[in-house]
Amino acid sequence: MREIAFDTVKDAVAKLCMDANYDIGDDIIAALKHGLEIEESETGKDILKQILKNNEIAHDERVPSCQDTGFAVVWVEIGSGVTIAGGELNDAISQGVAKGYTDGYLRKSIVEDPLRRKNTGDNTPPIIYIDIVPGDQLKITVQPKGGGAENMSEVKMLTPAAGAEGFKDFVVDRVRRSKANPCPPVIVGAAIGGTFEKCAMNAKKAQLRKVGSVHPDPFYADMEKELLERINKLGIGPQGLGGRVTALAVFIEAFPCHIATMPTAVNMCCHASRHKTVVL
Amino acid sequence: MVKKITTPLTEETVAGLHAGDSVLITGTIYTGRDLAHKELVDAIEAGKDLPFDPHGAIIYYVGPSPAPPGKPIGSAGPTTSYRMDSFAPLLMEKGLKGMIGKGNRTQPVLDAMKKYRAVYFAAVGGAAALIAKSIKDARVIAYEDLGPEAVRELKVEDFPAIVVNDMYGEDLYEKGMAEYRRE
């Protein structure tokens, strides 16, 4: 067995929380620049310029690109040959989140109970998804997820008869109804299949893909392209003030499902689609 | 053309603002989001004083990130406004003239803006580090225990925003979307 020290994991997670919030990925920057070229609305262009400028400041000064530094969603792939020395993996991640959000001057956005709403003070607990994979490496991705776009997300249990058209209409309609609220231009995570909860999780996981990447299955690659075109005809535009660039990308995640079901889910993400990965 | 405006907002300033105008705001504005709005409305209903004078005031829907050393405030972009919609009309009745946030408002808020002659501005969501540059000073004036949700008094210079809803009932979200829709 390969041992990885508790503190190594904790420190890595703390750094990922900060880096993700300070540095918007190059793929998003490139997509925003492309958006600026194709945007027709003057207001829309101004907004895209402001967002690009903002991301530059955040990077240069190491400050959060958005004040909503999110719920820390942590995706873990742990090799079956790895053990954590000196503590539990979940605790190392949780303590890493607390450290990253405190040391990095990131906003603490988590309340300990949804109805009594007292802030936990250190942005814990994180949401942790663990997969056990072959090998002796530990891969950790931190995806800080803001609340505004999350509120525009939805799971819908369609019937198999609804087919591809039903799925596509649901995705487009979800973006249409979201209007300005999720901070467009958005990244749309769309999932189909699995169970009720697996589908929702996959819609979020879909957002970890690089903007500009092509779905490996040509059937879904074509569907992503079609959906992006349809969404960018809605007219919502940057910040919902009207324009061509409503979404930067649509990512589909499909999964096997039951003969009676066709779960679908849309998880919306703002233009600040943040995620950083480390392999230990 | 960019309009420069100062706080507190007068009847005249509000009357001169139209959906689609870009503005730069200078003066004092107050922060408040979900829990702070509940506190403010509870205070009004209990007949207590508000932590700031609502007459001509602008509320900015924001929960900033913590101020790093040497800066007055952390990143400070707008949060989604509709969550404050059940509280906003009462604040306008008490004299509030401006709200800064992002996203669509519901009908009761749009109606209240016409009735009480108030205006809704959008700031660019996710441009939080850029917006923070226009905030020169910040201090918590109420509900400190709410952390990022506490009410702050901000001194701003040339704070960039866009008029979305004016007192005449114009709505830039509806207008802008209709103009570029190609469905």
Side-chain angles (χ1 to χ4, degrees):
Chain A
M1 292 294 270
R2 179 179 165 226
E3 284 193 350
I4 299 178
F6 182 90
D7 280 347
T8 305
V9 176
K10 176 180 153 183
D11 292 344
V13 168
K15 186 172 185 309
L16 289 172
C17 292
M18 291 189 254
D19 289 349
N21 276 295
Y22 302 155
D23 282 321
I24 295 295
D26 292 340
D27 56 330
I28 304 281
I29 303 284
L32 288 166
K33 285 182 177 162
H34 175 67
L36 188 55
E37 284 168 24
I38 60 170
E39 182 54 61
E40 295 164 16
S41 148
E42 286 306 318
T43 306
K45 283 185 204 172
D46 280 351
I47 289 165
L48 293 171
K49 281 181 204 162
Q50 280 194 45
I51 293 169
L52 282 162
K53 178 75 186 160
N54 177 75
N55 294 347
E56 241 177 74
I57 295 171
H59 170 84
D60 293 349
E61 298 186 11
R62 288 189 65 76
V63 294
S65 57
C66 179
Q67 78 291 337
D68 184 354
T69 51
F71 212 137
V73 179
V74 185
W75 304 88
V76 180
E77 288 178 20
I78 184 164
S80 53
V82 174
T83 60
I84 306 301
E88 297 295 328
L89 177 60
N90 278 331
D91 296 340
I93 293 170
S94 189
Q95 288 180 28
V97 167
K99 181 175 160 57
Y101 276 74
T102 305
D103 294 356
Y105 298 95
L106 305 180
R107 197 180 75 183
K108 322 308 181 279
S109 309
I110 307 304
V111 291
E112 62 186 26
D113 179 88
L115 293 175
R116 288 166 288 190
R117 305 201 77 85
K118 186 176 176 300
N119 200 298
T120 62
D122 61 5
N123 220 56
T124 63
I127 302 288
I128 306 173
Y129 297 115
I130 298 180
D131 264 346
I132 301 169
V133 298
D136 62 357
Q137 289 185 320
L138 175 62
K139 182 179 173 189
I140 305 171
T141 299
V142 174
Q143 179 188 27
K145 188 68 177 66
E150 196 76 352
N151 276 340
M152 295 296 114
S153 305
E154 190 174 349
V155 175
K156 199 168 182 183
M157 302 302 284
L158 295 179
T159 59
E165 290 311 311
F167 173 53
K168 288 188 283 189
D169 288 347
F170 166 60
V171 175
V172 173
D173 190 53
R174 184 58 266 182
V175 179
R176 184 191 289 115
R177 284 182 289 130
S178 302
K179 298 184 185 175
N181 292 335
C183 272
V186 292
I187 316 285
V188 182
I192 181 163
T195 48
F196 176 80
E197 82 289 355
K198 177 78 175 175
C199 192
M201 194 181 87
N202 277 343
K204 174 149 292 150
K205 197 176 189 178
Q207 287 163 357
L208 296 177
R209 266 174 58 196
K210 284 257 180 220
V211 174
S213 65
V214 178
H215 198 289
D217 180 341
F219 174 75
Y220 285 112
D222 287 346
M223 197 179 287
E224 286 180 354
K225 202 162 161 260
E226 181 192 336
L227 283 171
L228 184 63
E229 281 169 16
R230 278 181 64 182
I231 287 166
N232 283 338
K233 283 181 181 165
L234 293 174
I236 295 170
Q239 294 296 303
L241 293 167
R244 280 279 73 76
V245 187
T246 300
L248 300 176
V250 178
F251 295 137
I252 298 174
E253 188 82 17
F255 198 85
C257 67
H258 188 279
I259 50 173
T261 74
M262 198 175 86
T264 59
V266 173
N267 189 221
M268 301 285 278
C269 189
C270 55
H271 55 84
S273 175
R274 300 161 288 192
H275 47 90
K276 293 286 178 203
T277 301
V278 71
V279 179
L280 298 173
Chain B
M1 195 192 69
V2 180
K3 287 185 180 167
K4 292 206 173 211
I5 58 174
T6 53
T7 66
L9 294 181
T10 62
E11 292 282 343
E12 195 187 350
T13 308
V14 172
L17 294 174
H18 296 271
D21 288 349
S22 286
V23 297
L24 293 170
I25 304 165
T26 296
T28 302
I29 64 176
Y30 301 94
T31 74
R33 47 173 294 155
D34 308 61
L35 286 175
H37 269 75
K38 191 177 180 323
E39 297 282 348
L40 293 172
V41 164
D42 285 352
I44 293 170
E45 283 170 355
K48 293 182 190 155
D49 282 343
L50 291 179
F52 58 89
D53 181 4
H55 294 95
I58 296 179
I59 290 190
Y60 180 23
Y61 302 145
V62 59
S65 61
K71 291 188 192 241
I73 198 165
S75 297
T79 194
T80 319
S81 307
Y82 71 89
R83 297 193 313 270
M84 273 54 79
D85 281 4
S86 56
F87 307 111
L90 182 60
L91 291 168
M92 284 184 260
E93 188 187 322
K94 295 294 170 191
L96 186 78
K97 283 289 177 198
M99 297 156 281
I100 309 171
K102 68 174 174 83
N104 310 74
R105 310 308 299 262
T106 49
Q107 199 58 45
V109 175
L110 301 177
D111 293 343
M113 275 189 271
K114 282 203 273 187
K115 184 172 176 190
Y116 301 112
R117 303 162 71 86
V119 62
Y120 172 53
F121 305 95
V124 175
L130 179 69
I131 290 170
K133 298 269 180 202
S134 66
I135 301 170
K136 305 302 174 188
D137 191 31
R139 69 184 180 98
V140 172
I141 57 168
Y143 320 131
E144 186 154 21
D145 56 310
L146 299 183
E149 299 205 53
V151 171
R152 289 168 172 79
E153 183 185 86
L154 306 182
K155 302 285 181 197
V156 298
E157 277 177 33
D158 290 340
F159 180 105
I162 301 165
V163 178
V164 174
N165 297 103
D166 57 30
M167 58 173 255
Y168 308 104
E170 283 288 308
D171 186 331
L172 185 62
Y173 286 132
E174 295 302 325
K175 218 165 90 178
M177 193 169 156
E179 192 178 337
Y180 291 95
R181 189 182 290 132
R182 299 284 183 273
E183 277 184 286

